[in-house]
Amino acid sequence: MKRAKQLQPLSREHHLGLNLSRHAKDCADTPNEIKAHWQKLTAYIDDMRHHFQIEDNLIAMALQPYKDSVPKVAAALATLSEQHILLHKQMEQTQKAEGQPIMANQVRELGSLLYEHIRFEERELFLLAETYLSQSELDAIYKASSEKVKRLDENR
């Protein structure tokens, strides 16, 4: 799928998340597997805080004016918010269960949530951003994106 150049850094960050979450969805019920997958998933989500801020503060805010007139935008904004809340809630609830070991089903659930969230963004949210956001709004997203995932040949 051809992605607007300004959104490509965000898509690149998704690649690792898709890989980690896909493997976590098949987590074996052994302590070593559970621990390894949980650590990778939670580290990835923690590292993505800036990414989530870009989605919430730049993409979602820029799409807000279309919320009342474009039902797809309203639905996507609601889904984005719900998914961000669910991801963090699942992590926090599992980590706060002091003394309770993390179970394979919790790893698989977090993996599934993350996988579905990334697929939603790639298939729906980013398409809406490409359709409704102005060049300057897309450029602001690119500018805010992590330098680690930008490429020199993008000429931005």
Side-chain angles (χ1 to χ4, degrees):
M1 171 182 316
K2 185 84 167 142
R3 177 72 57 227
K5 287 183 181 182
Q6 298 94 328
L7 298 175
Q8 287 178 6
L10 296 177
S11 286
R12 286 186 204 111
E13 288 180 316
H14 284 161
H15 181 74
L16 176 59
L18 284 172
N19 189 22
L20 293 174
S21 61
R22 187 174 46 81
H23 289 292
K25 291 185 337 178
D26 297 326
C27 179
D29 198 2
T30 64
N32 288 343
E33 284 280 314
I34 292 168
K35 182 179 179 182
H37 285 295
W38 185 259
Q39 287 176 341
K40 289 175 186 176
L41 284 173
T42 57
Y44 173 80
I45 293 169
D46 283 339
D47 288 347
M48 295 295 283
R49 290 186 193 279
H50 180 71
H51 179 103
F52 290 147
Q53 289 174 344
I54 291 171
E55 292 167 353
D56 292 337
N57 298 332
L58 294 176
I59 296 175
M61 293 302 278
L63 287 172
Q64 280 295 323
Y66 302 97
K67 189 172 98 173
D68 293 333
S69 60
V70 183
K72 282 184 179 182
V73 170
L77 292 175
T79 299
L80 178 68
S81 178
E82 289 168 19
Q83 287 180 345
H84 281 180
I85 290 167
L86 278 173
L87 281 167
H88 293 294
K89 186 177 177 182
Q90 176 69 23
M91 266 180 36
E92 289 171 10
Q93 283 179 338
T94 303
Q95 290 170 333
K96 285 183 181 177
E98 294 179 29
Q100 300 293 320
I102 296 169
M103 307 300 285
N105 67 320
Q106 292 168 310
V107 172
R108 289 190 286 264
E109 184 176 343
L110 184 59
S112 292
L113 286 171
L114 180 60
Y115 186 84
E116 292 305 317
H117 175 65
I118 293 170
R119 298 311 274 174
F120 156 75
E121 287 182 353
E122 290 292 334
R123 292 177 175 167
E124 295 179 43
L125 184 69
F126 287 2
L127 291 176
L128 291 169
E130 291 170 335
T131 301
Y132 293 102
L133 302 190
S134 68
Q135 187 73 33
S136 63
E137 289 168 325
L138 290 169
D139 288 344
I141 292 165
Y142 182 85
K143 185 177 180 184
S145 297
S146 172
E147 293 297 324
K148 292 185 279 185
V149 290
K150 292 179 182 175
R151 293 190 178 153
L152 293 175
D153 63 351
E154 288 172 332
N155 297 321
R156 300 216 158 254

